[in-house]
Amino acid sequence: MDAARPDDSRGPQENLTGTEGVPGRPALDREALSDANFLAATGIAQLTVVDTTGSTNADLLRAVTVDPKAWPDLSVLTAEHQTAARGRLDRAWEAPARSSVLVSLVLRPVNAGGQPLPADTYSWLSLLAAVALRDALDETAGIPADLKWPNDVLVRGGKIAGILAQLGPLGGGSVPPVILGTGLNVTLTEDELPVPTATSVQLQGARTVDRTALLKSYLSRFCSLYRSFCNADGDATAGLAGGPSLHKRVETAMVTLGQQVRAQLPGDHEIIGHASRLDDSGSLLVVDASAHEHVVTAGDVVHLRPWSPQDSGRHGADKHAPAKHGAGTQGSGESGYA
């Protein structure tokens, strides 16, 4: 396929636009998504819909590499079906066609004066997306959602969505792009869930499973929060879009905080302790049994049942040296990926 453009190929087993498509799973309303008023109100530069592709994130990473000028800030790619999507720790995941919202954005964060945001603020972008999706689920679908660090959205304890943020190439002195992928399980049945701990909008008895409405709601909220965040120079403690700061919104919605957790880190390391708070960069601070505070920037976090400090002796966390774990991508993992 053209490396600069998403794959819109269709296999013989799929007819996503005809009567042989999945019953009860209508296609996205492309006319509504391309409406000039919607694009102008959100600031979306361009919005492309494809029937099927390997991964919307992979497509955009290739596209911004081959022809960066063709993909400005807030360029959007959404697909009816993904066949080679990847999540946290490179896990594979696939859902039936038209069962999910699968969308990636090109972000080139600059402030109102056109100055690039500091690179250390990029770690907040996946959390900002999670807040936007939480608000969309509440206001559009009528279902309550929580956040699980670093990038999962939960409804009543089940994973309904996840987010993958990847840094693109820096070329020609331009602002390095971030490719932000979000996936939301919409009409997956219990038999179609990737893992028993997942859930979907439909399974939660939402008032709508209209993927177009959910996608527009999410994009509208994300773009508003994103622009406010950029205009505040990426300061997560500044008021956001006329309301609380991003830091406050995330901490309020995050069920990870206050729990006993096991942080599974790159390189087969792990830490068990109390998830106390988020620092200024959105990293999770975990206090182990010896009262040492670890700064966790990337990795899986498992919520644990109540435990005693003696239990921690069986695990290999370093309790002496300061620990700051993870680098590069903050909060990897597209939705449905467990």
Side-chain angles (χ1 to χ4, degrees):
M1 79 179 178
D2 184 348
R5 287 287 161 183
D7 182 10
D8 196 16
S9 61
R10 306 175 203 178
Q13 75 280 12
E14 294 180 305
N15 182 355
L16 300 181
T17 58
T19 58
E20 295 177 17
V22 180
R25 287 177 172 160
L28 290 167
D29 185 339
R30 302 190 184 206
E31 183 176 349
L33 290 171
S34 62
D35 177 72
N37 292 329
F38 168 67
L39 298 180
T42 56
I44 291 173
Q46 58 186 359
L47 193 155
T48 303
V49 183
V50 297
D51 283 333
T52 186
T53 190
S55 162
T56 54
N57 259 36
D59 285 345
L60 286 184
L61 282 169
R62 284 191 295 269
V64 298
T65 301
V66 173
D67 191 2
K69 292 183 179 179
W71 300 91
D73 187 41
L74 290 177
S75 293
V76 179
L77 173 64
T78 184
E80 300 279 19
H81 187 211
Q82 288 187 137
T83 60
R86 293 282 168 179
R88 193 163 53 242
L89 304 181
D90 203 34
R91 294 172 178 141
W93 175 79
E94 184 176 352
R98 295 179 174 178
S99 67
S100 307
V101 167
L102 307 165
V103 61
S104 296
L105 298 91
V106 177
L107 305 178
R108 300 181 185 275
V110 297
N111 63 18
Q115 296 300 309
L117 265 59
D120 60 4
T121 67
Y122 284 18
S123 58
W124 282 101
L125 293 173
S126 60
L127 294 169
L128 188 149
V131 168
L133 184 57
R134 176 180 183 262
D135 291 348
L137 288 171
D138 180 28
E139 297 169 25
T140 304
I143 54 178
D146 300 305
L147 308 185
K148 175 177 175 287
W149 195 91
N151 63 348
D152 291 347
V153 180
L154 311 179
V155 174
R156 301 180 179 96
K159 180 172 177 177
I160 202 167
I163 295 152
L164 172 63
Q166 296 176 282
L167 189 64
L170 175 61
S174 63
V175 177
V178 174
I179 308 302
L180 184 71
T182 301
L184 171 68
N185 302 330
V186 180
T187 60
L188 274 75
T189 65
E190 288 189 11
D191 291 340
E192 293 169 334
L193 294 174
V195 290
T197 53
T199 189
S200 70
V201 175
Q202 179 171 277
L203 290 173
Q204 291 298 323
R207 59 171 169 252
T208 183
V209 291
D210 183 333
R211 292 183 305 125
T212 302
L214 291 167
L215 176 56
K216 290 183 67 176
S217 178
Y218 165 62
L219 290 174
S220 295
R221 285 160 177 77
F222 175 82
C223 291
S224 175
L225 294 174
Y226 171 69
R227 184 49 52 209
S228 182
F229 178 72
C230 288
N231 288 343
D233 294 312
D235 182 359
T237 65
L240 198 64
S245 69
L246 178 58
H247 196 288
K248 179 63 68 176
R249 293 177 196 229
V250 171
E251 284 201 330
T252 298
M254 184 161 286
V255 294
T256 305
L257 300 180
Q259 295 211 36
Q260 300 299 328
V261 301
R262 180 173 67 247
Q264 299 170 323
L265 309 172
D268 293 327
H269 300 295
E270 70 176 26
I271 296 169
I272 288 184
H274 178 81
S276 61
R277 60 189 177 92
L278 300 179
D279 70 8
D280 291 344
S281 66
S283 299
L284 183 68
L285 301 184
V286 178
V287 180
D288 67 21
S290 64
H292 180 77
E293 188 173 70
H294 300 260
V295 182
V296 182
T297 63
D300 271 349
V301 168
V302 178
H303 295 174
L304 301 175
R305 294 184 179 89
W307 62 293
S308 66
Q310 290 78 12
D311 292 338
S312 65
R314 296 194 301 268
H315 300 273
D318 178 6
K319 297 180 178 59
H320 303 288
K324 185 166 185 176
H325 306 278
T329 302
Q330 153 93 20
S332 61
E334 289 171 90
S335 172
Y337 305 112

